[in-house]
Amino acid sequence: MKNSKIEWCDSSWNPITGCLHDCEYCYARKIANRFKGCIEDESAPITASLNGMQTGAVIELDAPMKRKTEGGEIITAPYPFGFQPTLHRYRLDDPKKWTKPRTIFVCSMADIFGDWVPDEWIEAVFAACEKASQHRYLFLTKNPKRLCELANKKKLPKNENFWFGSTVDTTKSRLYPGRLRDNTFISIEPLLEPLNVGIGSFGGARWIIIGAETGNREGKVIPKKEWIDNICEAADITHAAVFMKDSLLPIVGESNMRREFPWENITT
Ligand code: SF4
């Protein structure tokens, strides 16, 4: 069942890929650029080869494109246009095919709520999730303002199995979605500086995920244990569950690792 390396979900599903936020530490951009390209693009200009449509900075694909591997094998191109925002419309029915319930991270290779993403794409993804209600869907954004805008337009679903989260990495990431819906969470990853959070800092968020930066980027930040303790203390005040990613293990130690899920009320 578990086919994602991300510890807090079972699977990731990417009907939309690509992102324009340009975070320095972005792993998704590296992966997308590593596996970018498609045969159609080699033989024709991008605009002529699309089997969907291209509008400004975003692309829609109705059917998958093909890519040739280094070994000459022809496979489905996962990121035909690298990290350029792309709707893979043909992936929208994937959750319906997975009969066993999963916890799914929606669009781990994009920011589905980036300002550049058309409302129609977001609505198409929500509709696809509603058609496969056996799963739990986790949506995560660096642009929680868009969640508020969608809520104001009555376009943000209230489904029990939809969880909306925002990423916080520095003290500048201040807009939390905590009071928008019952099921909200905050992903503090990578933790880049002390957040100095206190009572009520996390609003009504029910789950706090914490992770350190991974990889070997020059200037990589290793968080201090007291930064993490401070976040846990603030989470405990409002009874939010805490999930520490493996990257925190060397910092907090095995006995202090917390792996809580708000829907299970279980600590492992
Ligand atoms: S928001 Fe996420 S996907 Fe977008 S650039 Fe930043 S790390 Fe990458």
Side-chain angles (χ1 to χ4, degrees):
M1 158 78 77
K2 186 164 173 66
N3 59 12
S4 171
K5 285 188 184 156
I6 301 167
E7 300 115 297
W8 43 268
C9 66
D10 298 317
S11 307
S12 39
W13 165 53
N14 282 288
I16 298 171
T17 56
C19 179
L20 303 180
H21 283 314
D22 207 20
C23 305
E24 261 185 282
Y25 51 77
C26 182
Y27 72 93
R29 183 175 48 233
K30 269 191 208 150
I31 295 171
N33 285 333
R34 185 169 161 209
F35 296 106
K36 75 175 177 187
C38 53
I39 291 169
E40 293 89 338
D41 190 27
E42 284 167 10
S43 57
I46 287 176
T47 45
S49 65
L50 292 178
N51 45 4
M53 60 176 274
Q54 187 180 33
T55 50
V58 298
I59 296 170
E60 292 189 14
L61 296 176
D62 293 334
M65 300 181 95
K66 299 288 179 204
R67 174 173 181 266
K68 199 189 275 182
T69 64
E70 281 175 12
E73 195 188 348
I74 304 293
I75 58 165
T76 296
Y79 311 103
F81 304 104
F83 214 39
Q84 199 170 346
T86 305
L87 172 67
H88 304 257
R89 211 177 272 286
Y90 58 93
R91 292 183 187 162
L92 286 171
D93 280 339
D94 288 354
K96 271 208 302 194
K97 297 173 197 158
W98 306 325
T99 48
K100 278 200 180 167
R102 301 179 182 191
T103 296
I104 298 174
F105 180 7
V106 182
C107 298
S108 60
M109 296 293 294
D111 187 339
I112 180 174
F113 300 116
D115 281 335
W116 56 89
V117 179
D119 275 12
E120 189 269 325
W121 289 16
I122 298 169
E123 289 171 291
V125 172
F126 286 158
C129 297
E130 280 174 356
K131 282 186 204 156
S133 59
Q134 68 272 32
H135 307 302
R136 179 183 297 112
Y137 296 97
L138 306 179
F139 300 88
L140 183 59
T141 184
K142 272 218 166 64
N143 188 34
K145 164 178 73 74
R146 186 77 186 275
L147 292 173
C148 303
E149 290 165 2
L150 288 165
N152 289 341
K153 290 194 268 185
K154 303 204 183 317
K155 289 183 175 183
L156 195 68
K158 295 182 178 174
N159 307 38
E160 272 292 298
N161 57 332
F162 287 19
W163 287 73
F164 295 102
S166 70
T167 299
V168 171
D169 51 10
T170 67
T171 49
K172 289 191 192 118
S173 326
R174 273 295 176 207
L175 189 56
Y176 306 142
R179 299 193 194 287
L180 269 179
R181 288 285 178 271
D182 285 345
N183 294 342
T184 56
F185 66 103
I186 293 168
S187 171
I188 305 174
E189 190 198 9
L191 177 55
L192 297 177
E193 61 183 35
L195 295 183
N196 295 322
V197 287
I199 296 173
S201 293
F202 295 139
R206 292 183 54 201
W207 195 25
I208 313 296
I209 298 167
I210 317 168
E213 186 175 353
T214 55
N216 299 311
R217 182 179 71 93
E218 196 183 335
K220 175 178 163 179
V221 175
I222 298 174
K224 295 203 164 89
K225 183 170 180 300
E226 53 263 36
W227 303 357
I228 300 159
D229 290 344
N230 182 240
I231 292 166
C232 291
E233 209 173 297
D236 288 342
I237 290 168
T238 50
H239 304 289
V242 171
F243 188 98
M244 295 180 179
K245 296 194 67 176
D246 287 347
S247 53
L248 296 194
L249 187 58
I251 303 164
V252 302
E254 181 82 51
S255 59
N256 293 314
M257 283 293 277
R258 291 172 64 172
R259 291 287 174 108
E260 300 159 7
F261 294 93
W263 48 83
E264 284 182 355
N265 205 19
I266 288 174
T267 307
T268 54

